[in-house]
Amino acid sequence: MTPVAAVRDAGLAALVAFGLFAPLVGLRTDVVEGGLALRGRWDDVAWLVLLAFVGRLALLLLAGRRLPRLTLPAPLARAGQYAAPFFLGLALLLPWLPFIERYELDLGILVLTYVMLGWGLNIVVGLAGLLDLGYVAFYAVGAYSYALLSLTYGLSFWVCLPLAGILAAFAGVLLGFPVLRLRGDYLAIVTLAFGEIIRVVLTNWTELTGGPNGLSGIPRPGLFGLSFTSEEGGFADFFGLDYDPVHRVIFLYYLILGLALLTNWVTLRLRRQPLGRAWEALREDEIACRALGINVTVTKLTAFAIGAMFAGFAGSFFATRQAFVSPESFTFIESAIILAIVVLGGMGSQLGVAVAALLLIGGTELFRDLAEWRMLIFGAAMVVIMVVRPRGLVGTRTPSIALGEKRAIGGTYVSEGH
Amino acid sequence: MILDVEELTMRFGGLTAVHAVSFQAWGGEITALIGPNGAGKTTVFNCITGFYRPSGGKLTLFGRNGEVALQKLAGHRIARAGVARTFQNIRLFPGMTVLENLLVAQHNRLMAATGWGIGAVLGLSRYPAAEAEALERAKHWLNATQLLDRADDPAGALPYGAQRRLEIARAMCTEPVLLCLDEPAAGLNPRESDELSALLLQIRAQGTSILLIEHDMGVVMKISDHVVVLDHGRKIADGTPAEVRADAKVISAYLGEGDEDEAA
């Protein structure tokens, strides 16, 4: 359409808008003493008409054009190779940077918790291609496992951590069995239901879990028996430092960083091994897997179990950091956020998931001043990212092995599974 | 004998797709299964490879570990017993590289070498040696299928004929005693068909028996040692290519009267 014709068309739209808005918006009756008075709101009408004109014009001129696909320019793509070491270095040095205060450290801990959860869910959704909407259930199992084991039996954090992981993995297998035959939407619904079941059980089993009041007074972790208190024999005393509550925060920061890196390390190793390749093959074509003698049942269950195990680790970290757990922390929206991190990051990509967690969790914290506009911006940003990069931030797949040089595989070939 | 099919029957509700079919496939031979569309060839295949559970009859594989009753095994166990297959509509792992496709095919052998996953994560196992061996096997079949230069490309990016060859290479990487091919020549041009025939003869020469569904009579008559003809779920003929081609029932049901020169 030529610009002249477009302007004419937009003018027509503006005229229609004027016809509509003049009586609807322009004339307003106010109750005054002795009856009604008519008041004109012509400036509002002018804005609405202008909006209709500009909107129609934009629609006509831009419609039919393809939306730009965001491809990174070559220098930036090359810089992308250094992104992972850069983020790792930043994460390791974060507590020692000069401008980092208590607030930033707490935010870092929060972001890293979600990075870890994202990496854990990435095993299930990104690699094995099983859409799990109830991932937070395993997070809850881990958190309550630690809380209950430490409160009831007085076990230390380091003993409870593997136990919480094992219990969460067991929950993963438990979920895995009924959903083995399901695919796609049906799988998603059942996992969603499983997440809700766990939450409802936690809320109603009052004798064990304290119900909606949750469990409080969960012990804090120590470093090789050194507790982070001002008492004698504590961490500060042992190293001859002045007691500072930030020591504990730094310790927690490194703890979750270590746990997250463990998740990453295990995932990266598994990806290069038969089990990881079988997960990806399962995502690509389940029937072909069966024809090659891969036990689909066991492979799916291991994906659920290992993904759940890392959620269990993250859950016990969450419990020990908060010193308090209640079912409210494990609602569906948490599952949705973790899934959004995985999808936004690019399914299967470790770096993408980490960056997405930083954007999603750190970003929303950054815009805290915007109050109610925050979620609006958040939502709009997600829509924009998915429109310009439909396969997520890192939309390519890196082969696990190569005879020559490893070349990234374009997202168009890689299936999403489910 | 490598495979003994006895009175195989497969019913779907009221429909009997395969009706008491019996035949044998012999070790070191290429056995072709032919017949018009809807004759039940793929159903027989799906029973042999464990995708369907037969309604009746017996399927006995004479594999490396003696006799195995295939009709009782779970799908993935049939592949482990030594039966590999390809699909009529190609089923590769399109987002994985050609090489990765071939390594997935060796999953069971590699998995056993990892100490069921845990040992390899900790780097404590004999996995590197097993992987090197798997890579050699993959390279061997890449060579045989002329795909070596495409090893690091995604399988989904290969042209059609190459995808067909890759599917065969992937099946061979499971080291089967019986290779079941469902219309491997479909959609191939004459030159590719000839290359396929050569590849299948090479596979037979290396000791793997082949069971083949094929409509391309040129390929079937040239390479088969033994042909079984199905029509409407029943076996109507069984013999050497020459015998089958002369069979009146086969001519009327499938080959057609005027098709002798095409078949030749």
Side-chain angles (χ1 to χ4, degrees):
Chain A
M1 187 175 263
T2 64
V4 178
V7 169
R8 198 184 303 134
D9 196 280
L12 203 67
L15 207 67
V16 173
F18 179 75
L20 275 172
F21 289 128
L24 284 174
V25 178
L27 301 172
R28 184 189 158 99
T29 48
D30 287 330
V31 182
V32 293
E33 269 181 67
L36 296 171
L38 199 61
R39 186 163 63 87
R41 292 195 292 183
W42 300 110
D43 47 344
D44 290 356
V45 174
W47 279 115
L48 286 168
V49 171
L50 188 70
L51 199 69
F53 180 80
V54 173
R56 181 72 189 156
L57 198 65
L59 202 65
L60 287 170
L61 293 179
L62 300 179
R65 284 198 198 170
R66 294 186 56 140
L67 280 163
R69 286 273 182 274
L70 197 66
T71 43
L72 298 175
L76 212 64
R78 232 174 295 130
Q81 289 175 1
Y82 303 106
F86 170 76
F87 281 117
L88 180 64
L90 187 69
L92 283 171
L93 294 176
L94 191 79
W96 313 109
L97 296 179
F99 50 88
I100 296 296
E101 305 283 332
R102 170 86 193 251
Y103 168 76
E104 282 82 9
L105 268 181
D106 275 329
L107 183 57
I109 291 174
L110 187 69
V111 169
L112 282 173
T113 312
Y114 279 93
V115 168
M116 178 168 177
L117 286 169
W119 278 341
L121 184 61
N122 197 24
I123 294 174
V124 184
V125 179
L127 294 182
L130 303 161
L131 186 55
D132 184 352
L133 289 180
Y135 191 62
V136 81
F138 309 125
Y139 189 39
V141 169
Y144 272 86
S145 299
Y146 172 58
L148 289 169
L149 285 170
S150 65
L151 287 174
T152 319
Y153 300 109
L155 297 178
S156 87
F157 177 76
W158 298 104
V159 176
C160 292
L161 186 71
L163 288 178
I166 290 168
L167 284 169
F170 183 68
V173 173
L174 219 60
L175 165 68
F177 267 112
V179 305
L180 281 171
R181 290 157 187 282
L182 304 177
R183 297 191 67 73
D185 309 347
Y186 307 98
L187 173 71
I189 295 295
V190 175
T191 55
L192 172 66
F194 182 79
E196 287 301 286
I197 288 171
I198 295 278
R199 192 177 59 81
V200 169
V201 167
L202 291 178
T203 312
N204 289 293
W205 195 351
T206 321
E207 304 94 84
L208 185 70
T209 65
N213 298 328
L215 297 165
S216 54
I218 299 167
R220 303 288 198 163
L223 181 69
F224 298 111
L226 299 174
S227 63
F228 289 88
T229 51
S230 55
E231 293 155 22
E232 216 168 290
F235 174 81
D237 182 52
F238 185 83
F239 286 100
L241 302 166
D242 292 330
Y243 174 71
D244 187 342
V246 98
H247 288 159
R248 190 212 309 278
V249 183
I250 293 177
F251 170 66
L252 285 174
Y253 177 84
Y254 278 116
L255 179 58
I256 185 65
L257 182 63
L259 286 173
L261 289 178
L262 175 76
T263 312
N264 185 38
W265 182 74
V266 170
T267 311
L268 286 180
R269 289 215 51 132
L270 280 175
R271 246 200 105 222
R272 277 184 268 121
Q273 287 175 0
L275 185 60
R277 275 192 216 115
W279 287 340
E280 291 202 82
L282 202 64
R283 176 192 68 203
E284 298 283 323
D285 195 324
E286 191 177 324
I287 289 176
C289 280
R290 200 145 62 102
L292 294 172
I294 295 174
N295 188 335
V296 174
T297 310
V298 169
T299 309
K300 275 187 185 176
L301 285 180
T302 52
F304 271 117
I306 293 177
M309 182 182 76
F310 289 121
F313 289 161
S316 30
F317 173 80
F318 175 80
T320 192
R321 181 199 167 206
Q322 303 276 326
F324 170 72
V325 287
S326 81
E328 261 170 57
S329 310
F330 308 107
T331 51
F332 169 67
I333 191 72
E334 292 293 315
S335 288
I337 288 176
I338 303 165
L339 185 66
I341 287 171
V342 174
V343 173
L344 202 64
M347 297 204 297
S349 158
Q350 297 293 95
L351 178 64
V353 167
V355 173
L358 188 65
L359 286 179
L360 243 63
I361 307 301
T364 44
E365 279 298 314
L366 222 57
F367 293 117
R368 195 168 269 285
D369 295 342
L370 296 171
E372 68 266 35
W373 294 95
R374 188 163 70 130
M375 291 318 276
L376 193 70
I377 293 175
F378 174 72
M382 268 181 82
V383 171
V384 169
I385 292 178
M386 288 332 277
V387 167
V388 294
R389 290 195 69 90
R391 277 318 195 97
L393 296 172
V394 181
T396 54
R397 179 181 172 271
T398 315
S400 61
I401 192 166
L403 288 182
E405 186 196 350
K406 279 186 192 177
R407 291 186 301 265
I409 295 171
T412 42
Y413 295 116
V414 184
S415 38
E416 288 157 42
H418 313 317
Chain B
M1 191 158 31
I2 190 80
L3 177 73
D4 188 14
V5 177
E6 283 175 85
E7 301 285 313
L8 178 69
T9 301
M10 184 71 208
R11 279 185 289 271
F12 298 100
L15 177 85
T16 305
V18 177
H19 198 105
V21 168
S22 301
F23 67 89
Q24 284 86 39
W26 300 92
E29 287 196 351
I30 296 180
T31 307
L33 203 56
I34 63 170
N37 286 327
K41 305 182 297 285
T42 299
T43 307
V44 170
F45 248 52
N46 283 341
C47 290
I48 294 170
T49 52
F51 281 78
Y52 295 153
R53 183 142 294 199
S55 317
K58 277 205 275 187
L59 297 161
T60 314
L61 179 79
F62 299 86
R64 290 193 196 92
N65 307 317
E67 290 181 31
V68 189
L70 293 182
Q71 79 274 12
K72 290 179 189 157
L73 288 186
H76 65 273
R77 298 221 169 263
I78 290 184
R80 290 183 196 179
V83 180
R85 74 168 292 178
T86 66
F87 294 86
Q88 199 169 345
N89 36 0
I90 305 170
R91 282 186 174 274
L92 292 168
F93 306 121
M96 304 176 84
T97 65
V98 169
L99 184 66
E100 283 178 308
N101 269 270
L102 298 187
L103 288 181
V104 170
Q106 305 180 55
H107 176 79
N108 290 317
R109 199 178 306 111
L110 286 171
M111 199 66 192
T114 61
W116 302 106
I118 299 154
V121 170
L122 301 174
L124 293 175
S125 67
R126 52 208 156 85
Y127 179 68
E131 192 183 65
E133 193 192 322
L135 278 175
E136 281 311 309
R137 191 173 293 114
K139 274 193 218 162
H140 170 79
W141 287 108
L142 285 174
N143 237 333
T145 51
Q146 297 138 46
L147 288 169
L148 198 54
D149 53 331
R150 303 296 303 261
D152 296 334
D153 288 339
L158 296 182
Y160 184 82
Q163 292 197 6
R164 283 254 174 240
R165 292 203 303 276
L166 175 57
E167 215 190 4
I168 294 172
R170 191 180 65 179
M172 286 313 295
C173 276
T174 66
E175 301 210 301
V177 290
L178 178 67
L179 176 65
C180 300
L181 303 168
D182 198 347
E183 298 199 22
L188 298 187
N189 64 35
R191 196 173 62 86
E192 287 173 325
S193 281
D194 286 344
E195 286 171 4
L196 176 78
S197 303
L199 175 65
L200 296 188
L201 290 173
Q202 187 192 335
I203 288 171
R204 183 183 68 174
Q206 293 186 8
T208 302
S209 317
I210 296 176
L211 186 62
L212 175 77
I213 293 180
E214 191 47 70
H215 280 300
D216 185 333
M217 281 306 121
V219 173
V220 170
M221 295 301 167
K222 191 164 75 186
I223 65 171
S224 306
D225 301 296
H226 179 89
V227 180
V228 177
V229 190
L230 294 185
D231 187 31
H232 293 297
R234 290 166 197 273
K235 186 171 86 169
I236 58 171
D238 189 342
T240 64
E243 285 165 14
V244 164
R245 198 158 38 176
D247 190 298
K249 272 191 287 183
V250 178
I251 291 171
S252 74
Y254 183 50
L255 294 178
E257 301 292 343
D259 274 349
E260 273 88 351
D261 18 274
E262 190 197 316

